[in-house]
Each structure stands twice: as C-alpha cells, then as structure tokens.
Amino acid sequence: MKTKQKIIIAGPCAAESEDQVIKCALELKKRNIKIMRASLWKPRTKPGFEGVGLEGLPWIAKATKMGITMATEILFPEQVDQILEGVVKNKGNPKNLLFWLGSRNQNHKTQKGIANRLHKVSKDIKLMIKNQPWRDEAHWLGIVDHVTSTGLELNRIILCHRGFSNGWSANPLGLRNIPDWEMAMEVKAKSSLPMIIDPSHIGGTVENVFLITKESKQHNFDGLMVEVHPTPKKAKTDAKQQLTVNQLDKLLKIV
Ligand code: PEP
Ligand code: MN
C-alpha cells in the first residue's frame, strides 16, 4: 500500500529580515521541503515584537518565486488581500501561499471574515486552523463549522494541533502546551480533515520538540509544522524552541 506523503512545514516563528527569510528558504529547498512558515504578524502575550507586517511582503514574494509555499498567520480579513496584493506587486507567485488561523484568534466573526475573503479572492490557497488555547473539542470543531459556512471548500482546510494551555494535567517535562492526542484524533475523524502537529508550540524547548515529535508518531498525524531559524539564538520570538538546520535534519529522520 502506498503511504500518503506527510505535510512538512518548517521555518522561523516570525519573518525578521530578507536575509533570514531567503537563507531559510534556500535551506528548505536543499532538503526538498516545499512549505515554509514565517509570520508577518505575531499575536503576543505581552507587548513586544509584533512582527514586521507589510514590510516583509517583498521577502515573502521572493521566496514564493523560488517555488516555496509561504505560510503565515492571518489576524484580520483585510490581511488576506494585503498579502495577495503585495505578492503580486512584488512579482511573486500568489499560488504559493498558505494562511493559518492562530490559536488566539477566537472571534468567530474574524474567523469567518478571513475564510470568506480567502474563498472570494483565491481558488488555491489553503487555510490551516490551529486549535484554540483551551481544551474543548466542541469549540475546535466549531471553528471548522464557522470557516466552512463561508463556502470555503473542505479540500482547502488543514488542522493543526498545538496543544492546550495547562491547568488540567501534570507537566513533568515543562511543556509549553499539553497535547491531547485522543482529542486531536477525534477531531480529525469527525471533520475528515488532515491533522498535523506543531511540536514547537507544544514543546517550548528544542529537547521537547524532539520528544513530542517522537510521541506523536504513535498517532495518525498527517505531518508537522516546526520552527527552524538560521540563527535561533538571535530570534526575536520563541528563541528557545526554534531548531537550527542541523537539528532539523535530525528531526526529519524521525518524522
Ligand atoms: C505560531 O504558530 O506562530 C503561533 C503563534 O502559535 P499558536 O497560535 O499556536 O500559539
Ligand atoms: Mn512561535
């Protein structure tokens, strides 16, 4: 039986500079990884670096021209249009984009607004939905319902498990967020959608990223999204959990 190809998304937490984005894109190309994450806007727990925003569009466009699908979090509906326009203006390939709804974006009007714009302006771009921070299966499935109520086709949606805020479980490994493997598999079965895992935001440290990736193999995930940075120590966000490219190579051996 032919096994289905896993979805692999790798790249920095945030786009920080042209040099960082292109360096990372070149490393991914060498490894035949086709999707790179690099958020332009970052929701933050406390005030700080909130992403480079529209300034990063030329870098994203350049990477799409290299054949890499660029994945970024969308916070507001108008950002769908801003990214598409920016990529076209900078002569990038607007088909090589993937957007996602982050865990903190839990206003259903905003979720629907983003899905609605995407449905209107593109036939290709996929939307990934991360689970909300609190542990509630009905809410997670509800996000899918809100998004599909706009007419966005099911074959354009991917789900991503990034764990849940703690408060209900022992946490001997000091994970950043606690996975609920069974719930993730239930949501996958009930929605009939692909489900990938985000070991970076579950793990919180490089060591835990490896542990969680290994553990996730006992379940039927369809791939992973992992944070990788050319120089993790200098990362403006999530420095502790971003892998070097050498660590990425090690991780890919166990995926
Ligand atoms: C992210 O993936 O960049 C992120 C902010 O993660 P989450 O929404 O899962 O906290
Ligand atoms: Mn991050």
Side-chain angles (χ1 to χ4, degrees), residues 178-235:
I178 312 293
D180 185 333
W181 307 117
E182 286 71 32
M183 191 190 292
M185 288 303 114
E186 281 266 327
V187 170
K188 172 177 160 149
K190 287 182 180 165
S191 65
S192 305
L193 290 169
M195 172 75 72
I196 69 168
I197 185 185
D198 174 347
S200 305
H201 291 88
I202 292 177
T205 63
V206 169
E207 197 185 350
N208 282 345
V209 170
F210 279 86
L211 285 175
I212 289 298
T213 303
K214 270 186 208 142
E215 207 176 303
S216 72
K217 290 199 65 180
Q218 290 166 31
H219 307 275
N220 192 16
F221 283 95
D222 298 287
L224 90 173
M225 174 161 85
V226 64
E227 288 187 340
V228 179
H229 193 289
T231 41
K233 282 197 182 117
K234 293 193 186 150

Side-chain angles (χ1 to χ4, degrees), residues 24-168:
C24 193
L26 287 168
E27 294 293 347
L28 297 192
K29 263 190 98 80
K30 276 191 223 162
R31 290 158 180 82
N32 205 21
I33 296 175
K34 301 200 163 53
I35 316 179
M36 171 169 154
R37 62 161 290 149
S39 276
L40 293 174
W41 295 280
K42 297 300 305 169
R44 301 304 305 271
T45 306
K46 289 185 183 160
F49 174 71
E50 291 180 11
V52 295
L54 299 177
E55 190 195 331
L57 280 172
W59 323 333
I60 300 286
K62 202 166 171 179
T64 65
K65 239 187 290 181
M66 293 162 62
I68 298 276
T69 292
M70 291 300 292
T72 194
E73 175 169 352
I74 302 284
L75 301 177
F76 301 109
E78 61 268 26
Q79 292 171 341
V80 171
D81 300 80
Q82 287 170 343
I83 294 187
L84 272 169
E85 281 159 23
V87 166
V88 171
K89 197 172 130 208
N90 287 285
K91 302 194 169 44
N93 183 348
K95 287 191 178 175
N96 288 349
L97 289 168
L98 184 151
F99 297 147
W100 82 80
L101 282 175
S103 66
R104 298 162 211 226
N105 207 344
Q106 296 308 320
N107 179 324
H108 79 277
K109 291 270 192 195
T110 312
Q111 295 168 346
K112 280 171 68 175
I114 289 170
N116 198 34
R117 283 314 300 153
L118 198 54
H119 186 231
K120 290 247 157 58
V121 300
S122 159
K123 288 188 172 43
D124 314 283
I125 301 173
K126 294 196 175 172
L127 184 68
M128 182 163 77
I129 301 173
K130 291 186 116 186
N131 64 265
Q132 75 286 349
W134 62 94
R135 184 169 168 248
D136 179 344
E137 185 181 314
H139 183 97
W140 194 357
L141 285 164
I143 312 172
V144 178
D145 292 340
H146 284 305
V147 161
T148 52
S149 73
T150 65
L152 191 73
E153 301 81 357
L154 277 177
N155 64 6
R156 294 175 61 188
I157 304 173
I158 302 167
L159 302 180
C160 176
H161 187 34
R162 48 76 82 198
F164 296 109
S165 299
N166 202 8
W168 53 279

